[in-house]
Amino acid sequence: MGKLQATLVFTEALINGVLVGGVYALVGTGMALVFGVMRFINLCHGELVMVGMYLGWGLFTVAGVDPCLSALICLPPLFWAGRGLYRLVVRPLERSREQSQVLLTLGLGLVLSNAALLIFSGDYLAVYTAYSDLVLKAGPLRVSVPYLLAFALACVFTLGVWAWLFLTAAGRSIRATAQHREAALAAGIDTGRVSSLTFGLGTALAGAAGCLLLPVYYLHPGIGGLLTGKAFVVVVLGGMGSCVGAALGGLLLGAAESLGAVYLSAAWKDAIGLLAFLLVLVLRPSGLVGRSRV
Amino acid sequence: MGERERGVGAHPAARRGPPPWTAMTGRRAGALASKALGAAGLALGAALAVLPLVSPSPYLSHLFATFWLWAAMSQAWNLVGGYAGQFSLGHAAFFGAGAYAAALAWTNGLGAAAGTALAGLAGAVLALPVGWLCFRLRGAYFVLSTLAAAEVVRLCALNLRGITGGAVGILLPPLSGGQRAACALGLALFGLATLTSALVRGARLGYRLRALREDEDAAEAAGVPALKSKLWALSLSGGLCGLAGALFCAQTSYIDPGSVFSLADVSIPAALGALLGGWGALWGPPAGAGGVVLVAEAMRVLLGRAHGLAYGLLLVLTVLLVPQGFCGLLAARRRAAGGEAGAGRP
Amino acid sequence: MLEVELLRAGYGPVEVVCGVSLRVGTGETVALVGSNGAGKSTLLRAVAGLVPLIGGTISFEGQRLDGLPPHRRLEMGLGYVPEGHPVFPFMTVQENLELGAMAPRARAHRRRNLDRVMELFPVLGRRRRALAGTLSGGEQRMLAIARGLVGEPRLLLLDEPSFGLAPLVLARIYRCLAEVGPSGVGLLLAEQHVARALSLARRGYVLSQGRVVLEGGSEELLGHPQVRRAYLGL
């Protein structure tokens, strides 16, 4: 009996971890795209996720829109906001030193999180839907319905991005730019437009992931830094710039955090990812999956 | 007067042709002016250093204590970020480690001196594993790894509740002597940091670090022990940051993991001073830090709750408009002026 | 067709090309030879729009190119093949070629152009489903040239097509290039392999330290004592 119980605990932790990991994968995919194509270090990716979360929360509170629907609704405005952001502040520094990119995006992150603080104050917010407390029972296993839904939608989004990257002309030129920038220029690809599209797409994915994270995380203005950290862990686990890698990295981080929370302590959850991040960077800089980019 | 005569004698163009008063243009006047400016700056600096020590205003003392603290931090950061060109965003780890070491020592009945020494030691020792891990990486990866390392240390401080008290933090009795004492200590710390920086600059370590900064592969091929040199620099830097952490702890008499291990409040300002002021000159980092402290304080007073927003905006605008830092801007202007003067000569 | 006047270009404060003038006529094959570091690559990159100009002008078919981004130049019919292995390694040979044919001017004739280059480089036709990163060095070079050709350029800038290749592979690539010339596509060929390049081209320019030091017909240059001594080891 004790052994059965232990197996159950393990399986549940693993399932929950993988479910959250699906959303991490979506967060990471946006960042991996931006890094893979533009070689641009975006330290405000988590704040962009936060913007998506506030949008989702606002839509739910004001109009009662379900966060899953909000994830779709906020794609176009955030795509265009991302393109605007690119035009305004990212493009001048796209080819500059890492220092400038890091400081710029940290500054942007401060602007976004402080704006959130001014508008929404520092309170912890959450979204309670009709199915928030629903639990799916499969035999002795119990799985949270909102987690399952978030996972399913994150998978749909991730697969959708892949399909777009592999099947459309614009997606193909994005992949080409990531694989060989000079050759892309020689092949007549407008790399400026590619960068703009990529940043817009990364921002939109961040926003969608934010809406999907609403059932998982409490929302507050300081959450951006935490999420940027997670995005980087995911991207580094998967090999910087690889989308497939980012997806696997997301699942891995989710599982590791969840198992860590059960077997070590919930408090150390965030440290596990960072330690993995450091170890992978030092021991296997090409990531766990390898170097196949975008 | 002596200055001027030496200047005339030293300048070949002036000796050869035109009378001295027409030669008082271009480079020579620039050199004289910069010397005068340097002397004036030194006098002003000395006055500013003493003023808050005798002034009755605790606010002024507090402001200056903060300034000296960040000037020292930027000087310490510059050892690694400037001389060695290793852009660290993890200096909060050493600052926080120092703060916690001091706070724990003091609450456990150790003396002021012992606690301070322990703080410096904590920063210097922590720098070794952090550096050993992060210095394997270059460029963007290095920056990210330092960020992650500081975050790991913060999470340790947050979760080792038995030792650190966790998120509750540690409350200390206020510093005897108040802000004025903090100001004096800050000045001493800044002096120590500047002295260290000056010594490293002239020492073999300084040359090695600059060689690594310019071209790591070439420097290593020329026999510069890369990892060892960088670890020395980071350890010295970490030690100074640890002392700064102890001072912060004494000045505010309360610390928690969120404040002393903060990226936005510790790591970035430490780097910002040197980045804005420039890494080449000894006065660069403190000048930059002075600007940062003043602007941050002004915004806190003027804008209240919106100061964080303004700080972020200012950071973005600075990077966009002055990507080389203010010192780079000055250097470029000086180069342009020098070029013109050179072209004008027969 | 291409006229370059007193072109100066470089990276940051370093000027690599210091006042070069040259011209390429319609359908002409011209060689640009010189040793490593003479500024050949930078010159081509500047013409292709990858390096900003410090001074001088470039005009193509009578139109000034100043400040046009690379993709606009390709649309005007100015193609460029960078040095090295400029292919998209995680895409198939077919995808690589299709990307080269995306420019509006070439899109209509995509099928025909693709068939033509596969005829020109049969090995690409045989390996069209392979990932470009798995091809050999010579095959990757052929793929890059083929991708340049399917964009239907009127002039193709080729940077070091022979660099790092085995003699047999090199000979094959040059045979193909000799077939391209008569089809009406102009070639500007930057090469360290002086004898090869001049045997293909009718005219040539010799570049040294960022300046044109000699120019003339290929025979004339091959017979010039300076060229023979410096580049042919005779």
Side-chain angles (χ1 to χ4, degrees):
Chain A
M1 193 61 202
K3 195 166 180 188
L4 182 69
Q5 193 65 33
T7 322
L8 257 179
V9 166
F10 177 82
T11 319
E12 267 189 28
L14 190 65
I15 290 176
N16 274 327
V18 168
L19 292 184
V20 176
V23 186
Y24 288 170
L26 191 58
V27 177
T29 302
M31 183 181 264
L33 261 175
V34 169
F35 186 81
V37 174
M38 303 161 64
R39 300 275 117 190
F40 186 83
I41 304 166
N42 186 4
L43 282 181
C44 66
H45 196 74
E47 274 81 7
L48 295 174
V49 176
M50 176 201 77
V51 170
M53 290 178 84
Y54 274 109
L55 274 178
W57 178 84
L59 281 172
F60 179 79
T61 318
V62 174
V65 181
D66 189 279
C68 294
L69 192 60
S70 304
L72 264 177
I73 294 175
C74 73
L75 278 179
L78 281 173
F79 175 74
W80 288 105
R83 291 192 76 169
L85 205 60
Y86 170 79
R87 175 57 70 87
L88 210 61
V89 295
V90 175
R91 192 167 62 175
L93 293 176
E94 199 181 345
R95 310 263 105 204
S96 69
R97 303 169 303 168
E98 296 99 16
Q99 279 105 300
S100 311
Q101 299 178 357
V102 164
L103 285 180
L104 174 82
T105 50
L106 280 173
L108 278 178
L110 281 176
V111 169
L112 289 175
S113 58
N114 279 292
L117 184 67
L118 281 178
I119 300 170
F120 300 99
S121 85
D123 296 342
Y124 280 58
L125 307 172
V127 165
Y128 288 106
T129 54
Y131 53 85
S132 273
D133 299 324
L134 273 186
V135 170
L136 203 66
K137 293 201 183 82
L141 280 176
R142 299 154 59 82
V143 179
S144 144
V145 169
Y147 276 40
L148 202 62
L149 210 58
F151 175 77
L153 277 169
C155 287
V156 168
F157 277 114
T158 308
L159 292 175
V161 170
W162 286 359
W164 187 77
L165 282 175
F166 278 85
L167 299 178
T168 67
R172 212 183 254 184
S173 48
I174 286 181
R175 283 168 58 224
T177 310
Q179 289 176 20
H180 200 303
R181 195 179 178 83
E182 184 127 320
L185 283 166
I189 291 169
D190 182 353
T191 51
R193 189 169 157 267
V194 162
S195 292
S196 166
L197 278 178
T198 307
F199 204 81
L201 190 63
T203 309
L205 289 179
C211 292
L212 298 181
L213 276 175
L214 275 175
V216 183
Y217 277 100
Y218 281 106
L219 169 57
H220 61 99
I223 200 170
L226 179 78
L227 292 173
T228 301
K230 293 209 192 300
F232 261 109
V233 175
V234 168
V235 170
V236 164
L237 283 178
M240 299 286 278
S242 154
C243 280
V244 184
L248 292 177
L251 297 181
L252 201 64
L253 175 67
E257 279 188 3
S258 173
L259 292 175
V262 170
Y263 292 101
L264 295 171
S265 88
W268 288 102
K269 193 179 94 171
D270 296 326
I272 293 168
L274 288 168
L275 276 176
F277 172 90
L278 283 174
L279 286 178
V280 169
L281 264 185
V282 169
L283 300 177
R284 206 178 142 75
S286 59
L288 295 177
V289 188
R291 250 192 218 291
S292 77
R293 268 201 237 133
V294 185
Chain B
M1 204 53 211
E3 278 286 312
R4 193 175 145 181
E5 268 160 21
R6 207 162 359 113
V8 171
H11 203 289
R15 208 173 10 178
R16 227 187 295 125
W21 55 88
T22 57
M24 275 293 289
T25 54
R27 226 179 242 185
R28 206 171 70 86
L32 263 184
S34 87
K35 260 181 196 155
L37 212 66
L42 212 64
L44 191 69
L48 282 177
V50 177
L51 179 69
L53 293 180
V54 295
S55 133
S57 154
Y59 177 69
L60 198 67
S61 303
H62 165 81
L63 194 61
F64 268 83
T66 311
F67 166 61
W68 293 128
L69 177 73
W70 291 107
M73 280 293 284
S74 65
Q75 206 70 287
W77 186 88
N78 195 39
L79 288 175
V80 181
Y83 293 172
Q86 302 289 315
F87 189 88
S88 156
L89 280 180
H91 268 57
F94 317 132
F95 183 86
Y100 265 95
L104 289 173
W106 291 334
T107 47
N108 286 311
L110 260 79
T116 312
L118 217 57
L121 198 66
V125 171
L126 180 63
L128 295 176
V130 169
W132 180 78
L133 209 67
C134 298
F135 282 139
R136 291 153 187 272
L137 303 161
R138 289 189 189 181
Y141 298 92
F142 175 78
V143 182
L144 294 179
S145 68
T146 55
L147 246 169
E151 195 58 17
V152 168
V153 177
R154 182 184 73 87
L155 287 168
C156 288
L158 191 65
N159 292 321
L160 293 172
R161 279 190 211 99
I163 307 170
T164 62
V168 178
I170 300 176
L171 195 63
L172 291 154
L175 184 64
S176 60
Q179 290 299 326
R180 212 183 287 180
C183 190
L185 290 170
L187 184 56
L189 176 64
F190 172 68
L192 180 65
T194 307
L195 186 68
T196 311
S197 185
L199 288 177
V200 168
R201 236 165 110 81
R204 194 170 57 179
L205 180 61
Y207 289 103
R208 286 181 164 172
L209 294 176
R210 262 166 282 165
L212 288 169
R213 176 194 166 98
E214 293 311 322
D215 187 336
E216 179 150 355
D217 295 324
E220 266 197 296
V224 173
L227 183 63
K228 202 176 115 194
S229 310
K230 289 188 203 165
L231 278 180
W232 265 109
L234 191 67
S235 190
L236 280 172
S237 173
L240 288 168
C241 288
L243 292 176
L247 176 60
F248 178 83
C249 183
Q251 190 194 357
T252 56
S253 59
Y254 169 73
I255 58 167
D256 69 330
S259 62
V260 293
F261 290 107
S262 161
L263 170 68
D265 296 337
V266 181
S267 287
I268 297 180
L272 217 51
L275 285 175
L276 293 181
W279 65 278
L282 211 52
W283 54 262
V292 172
V293 167
L294 263 182
V295 168
E297 185 64 24
M299 288 193 307
R300 215 182 307 266
V301 172
L302 296 176
L303 300 173
R305 280 181 56 206
H307 78 268
L309 187 69
Y311 192 74
L313 271 177
L314 210 63
L315 190 55
V316 170
L317 288 176
T318 309
V319 178
L320 279 177
L321 303 177
V322 204
Q324 305 296 318
F326 288 101
C327 173
L329 201 70
L330 275 179
R333 192 160 294 170
R334 199 174 303 152
R335 221 176 300 131
E340 276 163 38
R345 247 180 288 158
Chain C
M1 183 159 48
L2 176 74
E3 287 182 35
V4 175
E5 292 289 340
L6 293 172
L7 178 116
R8 298 191 296 136
Y11 306 92
V14 186
E15 198 172 312
V16 183
V17 178
C18 336
V20 168
S21 300
L22 59 80
R23 61 191 59 225
V24 181
T26 306
E28 196 184 16
T29 300
V30 173
L32 187 64
V33 298
S35 58
N36 194 8
K40 304 184 301 289
S41 284
T42 310
L43 178 57
L44 289 198
R45 289 166 63 87
V47 174
L50 272 69
V51 174
L53 299 192
I54 298 173
T57 61
I58 306 168
S59 32
F60 183 67
E61 301 202 308
Q63 265 179 295
R64 291 277 293 269
L65 294 183
D66 319 20
L68 279 185
H71 65 100
R72 296 285 305 281
R73 300 184 192 211
L74 183 71
E75 262 165 53
M76 292 172 64
L78 182 61
Y80 168 61
V81 180
E83 65 185 326
H85 302 291
V87 298
F88 308 119
F90 302 110
M91 293 192 191
T92 63
V93 169
Q94 175 92 21
E95 282 177 303
N96 264 273
L97 292 174
E98 276 171 5
L99 269 167
M102 289 299 284
R105 62 178 278 122
R107 205 175 289 165
H109 316 127
R110 202 165 58 177
R111 282 257 65 82
R112 196 195 68 204
N113 289 339
L114 251 66
D115 289 344
R116 238 186 43 210
V117 294
M118 299 232 185
E119 219 170 88
L120 194 62
F121 300 100
V123 61
L124 298 181
R126 283 198 299 278
R127 303 207 57 187
R128 63 202 300 168
R129 302 251 160 264
L131 287 187
T134 64
L135 300 183
S136 74
E139 287 164 352
Q140 289 190 22
R141 193 73 49 82
M142 290 178 204
L143 177 56
I145 296 172
R147 195 190 51 221
L149 286 172
V150 293
E152 249 183 45
R154 299 178 46 73
L155 173 66
L156 190 61
L157 312 169
L158 278 172
D159 200 355
E160 299 276 0
S162 77
F163 186 76
L165 293 186
L168 266 176
V169 184
L170 190 160
R172 230 162 77 200
I173 287 185
Y174 264 86
R175 269 203 303 281
C176 295
L177 289 181
E179 283 178 45
V180 170
S183 67
V185 180
L187 290 176
L188 178 58
L189 198 65
E191 265 291 5
Q192 275 185 68
H193 205 300
V194 175
R196 263 286 171 210
L198 286 176
S199 65
L200 179 70
R202 270 188 41 240
R203 287 192 309 117
Y205 296 84
V206 180
L207 221 61
S208 177
Q209 297 183 350
R211 291 170 213 283
V212 173
V213 287
L214 276 176
E215 61 173 288
S218 293
E219 318 268 275
E220 189 188 334
L221 285 181
L222 278 170
H224 197 285
Q226 210 177 323
V227 174
R228 288 168 68 89
R229 204 174 327 115
Y231 302 109
L232 303 176
L234 297 171

